[in-house]
Amino acid sequence: MLSAFQPVIYQIAVILIVLVTVLAVLRARPDLDAARPQGSARRYRTYLRGVATMSLLSAACLNLSLFFAGLRLWEIVTPAIVWEVVVFAPLIVLLGGWLIWEIKVGQAGHRLPARPGEELEDSGVGPREDDRHWFLAGAVYVNRRDPALLVHARLGSSSWTLNLGHPIAWLLLGVLAVALIVFAGLALAGVVDLPEKHSLF
């Protein structure tokens, strides 16, 4: 019986995860050019608004795919090759949208056009990035003095990473680990049905 509600449960999970992620990203430490702080701050704000919009569109596309998959699971539609395409079409559109947007705006919005006068801005300070806080080739960030929970990652054009020097980061990782262990235990006990092949996607 629970398996019949899996698409709805997944949709709710997608919405919650995306909303929490968007809120965290909007409060992330800005990635600014120290030599041009005002211009880079404006571009970064524009970039964050774009990330928030694309993330919400991602949730919509994922939920649309889950809805189409649910129609097949609930036997409202007859499984067919055409329906397989329909199920995955929103995900393909989503991937294409992210690629086009990333190419257009660049890392942290550095490809966004500057406004008149911003090219002349020069604070006289060069950009600074302390390598002492970055580990595993720039994939892990640890800085206890940085109050930001999320920081713009060095790897990936549109990605953030947790500041492992922040205590809340470890709390989140602990909650995630406990949730995965509980889910695995429930699945092994047969309380939660794992999705069968072709049950959703």
Side-chain angles (χ1 to χ4, degrees):
M1 184 65 180
L2 184 61
S3 61
F5 293 98
Q6 282 182 344
V8 178
I9 294 172
Y10 293 157
Q11 286 176 322
I12 294 172
V14 165
I15 292 172
L16 292 176
I17 290 171
V18 168
L19 286 178
V20 170
T21 302
V22 167
L23 290 175
V25 164
L26 291 177
R27 295 177 59 87
R29 185 188 71 176
D31 187 14
L32 305 181
D33 182 353
R36 297 175 177 83
Q38 293 183 357
S40 61
R42 181 194 61 79
R43 286 192 293 271
Y44 192 74
R45 286 193 299 270
T46 303
Y47 171 76
L48 284 185
R49 286 195 295 270
V51 169
T53 301
M54 290 299 297
S55 298
L56 295 175
L57 289 175
S58 298
C61 289
L62 288 169
N63 281 338
L64 187 59
S65 285
L66 288 168
F67 172 72
F68 290 149
L71 293 179
R72 185 180 58 191
L73 178 67
W74 300 323
E75 299 180 353
I76 296 176
V77 297
T78 303
I81 298 298
V82 175
W83 196 252
E84 295 286 340
V85 175
V86 170
V87 170
F88 286 98
L91 302 180
I92 296 171
V93 172
L94 173 62
L95 178 61
W98 271 107
L99 288 175
I100 293 171
W101 185 78
E102 286 291 344
I103 292 171
K104 181 179 179 180
V105 301
Q107 173 109 6
H110 76 274
R111 290 182 183 166
L112 293 172
R115 289 181 177 173
E118 288 182 347
E119 304 92 339
L120 304 176
E121 182 184 9
D122 187 3
S123 66
V125 180
R128 292 178 295 181
E129 188 93 28
D130 196 340
D131 291 330
R132 293 178 302 171
H133 303 306
W134 291 94
F135 304 91
L136 296 180
V140 177
Y141 179 74
V142 183
N143 186 358
R144 293 182 180 179
R145 295 184 178 181
D146 191 343
L149 176 61
L150 284 177
V151 296
H152 203 273
R154 283 182 167 181
L155 303 177
S157 59
S158 178
S159 59
W160 281 261
T161 186
L162 284 172
N163 175 12
L164 296 184
H166 200 296
I168 295 180
W170 289 102
L171 177 63
L172 291 175
L173 292 174
V175 169
L176 179 61
V178 170
L180 289 175
I181 291 171
V182 170
F183 182 80
L186 292 175
L188 290 173
V191 177
V192 176
D193 294 331
L194 294 175
E196 299 178 2
K197 187 177 180 182
H198 302 305
S199 63
L200 287 179
F201 293 113

